Each structure stands twice: as structure tokens, then as C-alpha cells.
Short mmCIF file of all heavy atoms in Angstrom, two decimals:
data_model
loop_
_atom_site.label_atom_id
_atom_site.label_comp_id
_atom_site.label_asym_id
_atom_site.label_seq_id
_atom_site.Cartn_x
_atom_site.Cartn_y
_atom_site.Cartn_z
N ALA A 723 0.82 -1.21 0.00
CA ALA A 723 0.00 0.00 0.00
C ALA A 723 0.86 1.26 0.00
O ALA A 723 0.45 2.30 -0.53
CB ALA A 723 -0.95 -0.01 1.19
N THR A 724 2.07 1.20 0.57
CA THR A 724 2.99 2.33 0.50
C THR A 724 3.48 2.51 -0.93
O THR A 724 3.54 3.64 -1.44
CB THR A 724 4.18 2.11 1.44
OG1 THR A 724 3.69 1.86 2.76
CG2 THR A 724 5.09 3.32 1.47
N LEU A 725 3.82 1.42 -1.59
CA LEU A 725 4.21 1.49 -3.00
C LEU A 725 3.06 2.05 -3.83
O LEU A 725 3.27 2.91 -4.70
CB LEU A 725 4.62 0.10 -3.50
CG LEU A 725 5.25 0.01 -4.89
CD1 LEU A 725 6.18 -1.20 -4.97
CD2 LEU A 725 4.19 -0.10 -5.99
N ALA A 726 1.83 1.60 -3.55
CA ALA A 726 0.67 2.09 -4.29
C ALA A 726 0.46 3.59 -4.05
O ALA A 726 0.09 4.33 -4.97
CB ALA A 726 -0.57 1.32 -3.87
N CYS A 727 0.70 4.06 -2.82
CA CYS A 727 0.61 5.50 -2.52
C CYS A 727 1.61 6.29 -3.36
O CYS A 727 1.29 7.35 -3.91
CB CYS A 727 0.85 5.75 -1.04
SG CYS A 727 -0.64 5.89 -0.05
N ALA A 728 2.85 5.79 -3.42
CA ALA A 728 3.86 6.47 -4.22
C ALA A 728 3.45 6.53 -5.69
O ALA A 728 3.65 7.55 -6.36
CB ALA A 728 5.21 5.75 -4.06
N PHE A 729 2.87 5.46 -6.19
CA PHE A 729 2.39 5.42 -7.58
C PHE A 729 1.32 6.50 -7.79
O PHE A 729 1.35 7.22 -8.79
CB PHE A 729 1.83 4.04 -7.88
CG PHE A 729 1.20 3.91 -9.24
CD1 PHE A 729 1.97 3.57 -10.35
CD2 PHE A 729 -0.16 4.12 -9.43
CE1 PHE A 729 1.40 3.44 -11.61
CE2 PHE A 729 -0.75 4.00 -10.68
CZ PHE A 729 0.04 3.67 -11.77
N VAL A 730 0.38 6.62 -6.86
CA VAL A 730 -0.69 7.62 -6.98
C VAL A 730 -0.12 9.03 -6.95
O VAL A 730 -0.49 9.89 -7.77
CB VAL A 730 -1.74 7.43 -5.86
CG1 VAL A 730 -2.69 8.62 -5.79
CG2 VAL A 730 -2.52 6.14 -6.08
N LEU A 731 0.81 9.30 -6.03
CA LEU A 731 1.40 10.63 -5.95
C LEU A 731 2.17 10.98 -7.22
O LEU A 731 2.16 12.13 -7.68
CB LEU A 731 2.32 10.71 -4.73
CG LEU A 731 1.64 10.63 -3.37
CD1 LEU A 731 2.69 10.62 -2.25
CD2 LEU A 731 0.64 11.76 -3.17
N HIS A 732 2.82 9.99 -7.80
CA HIS A 732 3.58 10.22 -9.04
C HIS A 732 2.65 10.42 -10.24
O HIS A 732 2.82 11.36 -11.02
CB HIS A 732 4.53 9.05 -9.29
CG HIS A 732 5.28 9.15 -10.58
ND1 HIS A 732 6.27 10.08 -10.80
CD2 HIS A 732 5.17 8.43 -11.73
CE1 HIS A 732 6.74 9.94 -12.02
NE2 HIS A 732 6.10 8.95 -12.61
N GLN A 733 1.66 9.54 -10.37
CA GLN A 733 0.81 9.55 -11.56
C GLN A 733 -0.24 10.66 -11.53
O GLN A 733 -0.56 11.24 -12.58
CB GLN A 733 0.09 8.20 -11.69
CG GLN A 733 0.99 7.05 -12.05
CD GLN A 733 1.50 7.11 -13.48
OE1 GLN A 733 2.65 7.45 -13.71
NE2 GLN A 733 0.63 6.80 -14.42
N PHE A 734 -0.79 10.95 -10.35
CA PHE A 734 -1.93 11.85 -10.29
C PHE A 734 -1.62 13.20 -9.63
O PHE A 734 -2.35 14.16 -9.81
CB PHE A 734 -3.09 11.18 -9.54
CG PHE A 734 -3.62 9.99 -10.27
CD1 PHE A 734 -3.19 8.71 -9.96
CD2 PHE A 734 -4.55 10.13 -11.29
CE1 PHE A 734 -3.66 7.60 -10.64
CE2 PHE A 734 -5.03 9.03 -11.98
CZ PHE A 734 -4.59 7.76 -11.66
N LYS A 735 -0.53 13.27 -8.87
CA LYS A 735 -0.13 14.54 -8.24
C LYS A 735 1.18 15.08 -8.82
O LYS A 735 1.67 16.12 -8.39
CB LYS A 735 0.00 14.36 -6.73
CG LYS A 735 -1.30 13.93 -6.05
CD LYS A 735 -2.40 14.96 -6.23
CE LYS A 735 -3.69 14.54 -5.58
NZ LYS A 735 -4.77 15.54 -5.80
N GLN A 736 1.73 14.34 -9.79
CA GLN A 736 2.94 14.75 -10.51
C GLN A 736 4.13 15.00 -9.58
O GLN A 736 4.97 15.86 -9.84
CB GLN A 736 2.67 16.00 -11.36
CG GLN A 736 1.86 15.74 -12.62
CD GLN A 736 0.38 15.51 -12.32
OE1 GLN A 736 -0.26 16.34 -11.69
NE2 GLN A 736 -0.15 14.39 -12.78
N LEU A 737 4.20 14.27 -8.48
CA LEU A 737 5.37 14.34 -7.62
C LEU A 737 6.47 13.45 -8.19
O LEU A 737 6.20 12.34 -8.66
CB LEU A 737 5.01 13.91 -6.20
CG LEU A 737 4.01 14.82 -5.46
CD1 LEU A 737 3.76 14.29 -4.05
CD2 LEU A 737 4.49 16.25 -5.40
N PRO A 738 7.71 13.88 -8.15
CA PRO A 738 8.78 13.12 -8.81
C PRO A 738 9.19 11.84 -8.08
O PRO A 738 9.77 10.95 -8.68
CB PRO A 738 9.95 14.11 -8.85
CG PRO A 738 9.68 15.06 -7.73
CD PRO A 738 8.20 15.17 -7.62
N ILE A 739 8.95 11.71 -6.78
CA ILE A 739 9.34 10.53 -5.99
C ILE A 739 10.84 10.27 -6.13
O ILE A 739 11.30 9.19 -6.47
CB ILE A 739 8.53 9.27 -6.39
CG1 ILE A 739 7.04 9.60 -6.57
CG2 ILE A 739 8.68 8.18 -5.32
CD1 ILE A 739 6.34 10.08 -5.32
N THR A 740 11.64 11.33 -5.88
CA THR A 740 13.09 11.21 -6.04
C THR A 740 13.88 11.82 -4.88
O THR A 740 14.76 12.65 -5.13
CB THR A 740 13.52 11.89 -7.34
OG1 THR A 740 13.07 13.27 -7.29
CG2 THR A 740 13.01 11.22 -8.57
N PRO A 741 13.68 11.39 -3.66
CA PRO A 741 12.66 10.45 -3.19
C PRO A 741 11.48 11.20 -2.55
O PRO A 741 11.46 12.42 -2.54
CB PRO A 741 13.42 9.66 -2.11
CG PRO A 741 14.33 10.73 -1.51
CD PRO A 741 14.71 11.65 -2.64
N PHE A 742 10.55 10.42 -2.00
CA PHE A 742 9.45 10.96 -1.19
C PHE A 742 9.49 10.24 0.15
O PHE A 742 9.66 9.02 0.19
CB PHE A 742 8.10 10.74 -1.87
CG PHE A 742 6.95 11.40 -1.14
CD1 PHE A 742 6.60 12.71 -1.43
CD2 PHE A 742 6.23 10.72 -0.16
CE1 PHE A 742 5.55 13.34 -0.76
CE2 PHE A 742 5.19 11.33 0.50
CZ PHE A 742 4.84 12.66 0.20
N THR A 743 9.32 10.99 1.23
CA THR A 743 9.39 10.40 2.57
C THR A 743 8.03 10.47 3.24
O THR A 743 7.46 11.55 3.41
CB THR A 743 10.43 11.09 3.45
OG1 THR A 743 11.72 10.97 2.83
CG2 THR A 743 10.49 10.46 4.83
N PHE A 744 7.49 9.30 3.59
CA PHE A 744 6.24 9.21 4.34
C PHE A 744 6.54 9.22 5.83
O PHE A 744 7.54 8.64 6.28
CB PHE A 744 5.51 7.91 4.00
CG PHE A 744 5.00 7.81 2.60
CD1 PHE A 744 5.72 7.12 1.63
CD2 PHE A 744 3.79 8.39 2.23
CE1 PHE A 744 5.25 7.01 0.33
CE2 PHE A 744 3.32 8.30 0.94
CZ PHE A 744 4.04 7.61 -0.02
N GLN A 745 5.64 9.84 6.59
CA GLN A 745 5.67 9.77 8.04
C GLN A 745 4.65 8.71 8.47
O GLN A 745 3.50 8.74 8.01
CB GLN A 745 5.32 11.12 8.67
CG GLN A 745 6.15 12.28 8.14
CD GLN A 745 7.63 12.14 8.43
OE1 GLN A 745 8.02 11.62 9.49
NE2 GLN A 745 8.47 12.60 7.51
N SER A 746 5.06 7.80 9.36
CA SER A 746 4.17 6.68 9.68
C SER A 746 4.39 6.22 11.12
O SER A 746 5.30 6.69 11.82
CB SER A 746 4.44 5.50 8.73
OG SER A 746 5.60 4.79 9.13
N LEU A 747 3.58 5.25 11.55
CA LEU A 747 3.76 4.65 12.87
C LEU A 747 5.06 3.87 12.97
O LEU A 747 5.50 3.54 14.07
CB LEU A 747 2.57 3.72 13.18
CG LEU A 747 1.22 4.40 13.42
CD1 LEU A 747 0.14 3.36 13.63
CD2 LEU A 747 1.29 5.34 14.61
N SER A 748 5.68 3.57 11.84
CA SER A 748 6.99 2.90 11.83
C SER A 748 8.12 3.88 11.53
O SER A 748 9.21 3.47 11.14
CB SER A 748 6.99 1.77 10.80
OG SER A 748 6.14 0.72 11.21
N GLY A 749 7.86 5.17 11.72
CA GLY A 749 8.88 6.17 11.47
C GLY A 749 8.86 6.66 10.02
O GLY A 749 7.88 6.50 9.30
N GLU A 750 9.96 7.27 9.61
CA GLU A 750 10.07 7.77 8.25
C GLU A 750 10.31 6.62 7.27
O GLU A 750 11.16 5.76 7.51
CB GLU A 750 11.20 8.78 8.14
CG GLU A 750 10.94 10.09 8.87
CD GLU A 750 11.98 11.13 8.57
OE1 GLU A 750 13.05 10.79 8.00
OE2 GLU A 750 11.75 12.31 8.91
N LEU A 751 9.55 6.62 6.19
CA LEU A 751 9.67 5.59 5.15
C LEU A 751 9.92 6.30 3.83
O LEU A 751 9.08 7.05 3.34
CB LEU A 751 8.40 4.74 5.07
CG LEU A 751 7.97 4.03 6.35
CD1 LEU A 751 6.63 3.35 6.15
CD2 LEU A 751 9.02 3.01 6.79
N THR A 752 11.07 6.03 3.24
CA THR A 752 11.45 6.70 2.00
C THR A 752 11.16 5.80 0.80
O THR A 752 11.43 4.60 0.83
CB THR A 752 12.95 7.06 2.03
OG1 THR A 752 13.18 7.95 3.14
CG2 THR A 752 13.37 7.75 0.76
N VAL A 753 10.61 6.40 -0.23
CA VAL A 753 10.34 5.70 -1.49
C VAL A 753 10.96 6.51 -2.62
O VAL A 753 10.86 7.73 -2.64
CB VAL A 753 8.82 5.56 -1.74
CG1 VAL A 753 8.56 4.74 -3.01
CG2 VAL A 753 8.13 4.91 -0.54
N TYR A 754 11.63 5.82 -3.54
CA TYR A 754 12.12 6.52 -4.73
C TYR A 754 11.81 5.69 -5.97
O TYR A 754 11.56 4.48 -5.90
CB TYR A 754 13.61 6.85 -4.62
CG TYR A 754 14.53 5.66 -4.47
CD1 TYR A 754 15.03 4.98 -5.58
CD2 TYR A 754 14.93 5.22 -3.21
CE1 TYR A 754 15.88 3.91 -5.45
CE2 TYR A 754 15.78 4.14 -3.06
CZ TYR A 754 16.26 3.49 -4.17
OH TYR A 754 17.10 2.42 -4.04
N ARG A 755 11.83 6.36 -7.10
CA ARG A 755 11.46 5.74 -8.37
C ARG A 755 12.68 5.68 -9.28
O ARG A 755 13.45 6.64 -9.38
CB ARG A 755 10.34 6.54 -9.04
CG ARG A 755 9.82 5.95 -10.33
CD ARG A 755 8.59 6.72 -10.83
NE ARG A 755 8.11 6.19 -12.10
CZ ARG A 755 8.50 6.63 -13.29
NH1 ARG A 755 9.37 7.63 -13.37
NH2 ARG A 755 8.02 6.10 -14.40
N ASP A 756 12.86 4.52 -9.95
CA ASP A 756 13.92 4.39 -10.94
C ASP A 756 13.42 3.51 -12.07
O ASP A 756 12.21 3.26 -12.20
CB ASP A 756 15.20 3.84 -10.31
CG ASP A 756 15.02 2.46 -9.69
OD1 ASP A 756 14.05 1.75 -10.05
OD2 ASP A 756 15.85 2.07 -8.84
N GLN A 757 14.33 3.02 -12.90
CA GLN A 757 13.92 2.25 -14.08
C GLN A 757 13.27 0.92 -13.73
O GLN A 757 12.60 0.31 -14.56
CB GLN A 757 15.13 2.01 -15.00
CG GLN A 757 16.17 1.03 -14.47
CD GLN A 757 17.22 1.68 -13.62
OE1 GLN A 757 17.01 2.76 -13.08
NE2 GLN A 757 18.39 1.03 -13.51
N HIS A 758 13.45 0.45 -12.49
CA HIS A 758 12.86 -0.83 -12.09
C HIS A 758 11.49 -0.67 -11.42
O HIS A 758 10.83 -1.66 -11.14
CB HIS A 758 13.81 -1.56 -11.13
CG HIS A 758 15.13 -1.90 -11.73
ND1 HIS A 758 15.27 -2.72 -12.82
CD2 HIS A 758 16.39 -1.50 -11.39
CE1 HIS A 758 16.55 -2.84 -13.13
NE2 HIS A 758 17.25 -2.11 -12.29
N GLY A 759 11.09 0.56 -11.14
CA GLY A 759 9.80 0.78 -10.48
C GLY A 759 9.96 1.68 -9.27
O GLY A 759 10.70 2.67 -9.31
N PHE A 760 9.30 1.32 -8.19
CA PHE A 760 9.34 2.08 -6.96
C PHE A 760 10.07 1.26 -5.89
O PHE A 760 9.78 0.07 -5.72
CB PHE A 760 7.93 2.42 -6.47
CG PHE A 760 7.18 3.33 -7.40
CD1 PHE A 760 6.43 2.82 -8.45
CD2 PHE A 760 7.22 4.71 -7.23
CE1 PHE A 760 5.74 3.66 -9.31
CE2 PHE A 760 6.54 5.56 -8.08
CZ PHE A 760 5.80 5.04 -9.13
N THR A 761 11.00 1.90 -5.20
CA THR A 761 11.78 1.22 -4.17
C THR A 761 11.39 1.73 -2.80
O THR A 761 11.42 2.94 -2.55
CB THR A 761 13.29 1.43 -4.40
OG1 THR A 761 13.67 0.81 -5.63
CG2 THR A 761 14.09 0.80 -3.25
#
């Protein structure tokens, strides 16, 4: 669901995800996008 959130932010909010950091109950979670998808 975190990967899916990053996909939505990239596709529909035009955020670059290079990287994007989520705040969560497990602390900061960083997601970035490259040629293989979302990490």
C-alpha cells in the first residue's frame, strides 16, 4: 500500500518521488522511483 501510494502521488499529483518520505507509525519511510519501479 505504500508502493501504491507512491504510484498515486507520481501519476496523479505529478510528484517526482526522487525520493518521497512518508511519516508513519513505523517512522520515516522513504520511497524513490527508478527504471525498475518504486523502491
Side-chain angles (χ1 to χ4, degrees):
T724 306
L725 188 152
C727 263
F729 176 88
V730 168
L731 293 176
H732 176 70
Q733 291 289 104
F734 295 96
K735 300 299 179 181
Q736 286 74 55
L737 295 181
I739 317 296
T740 56
F742 186 88
T743 300
F744 293 98
Q745 308 297 325
S746 79
L747 291 176
S748 292
E750 291 189 347
L751 302 174
T752 299
V753 184
Y754 61 87
R755 183 173 178 268
D756 60 20
Q757 71 272 22
H758 298 299
F760 295 88
T761 295

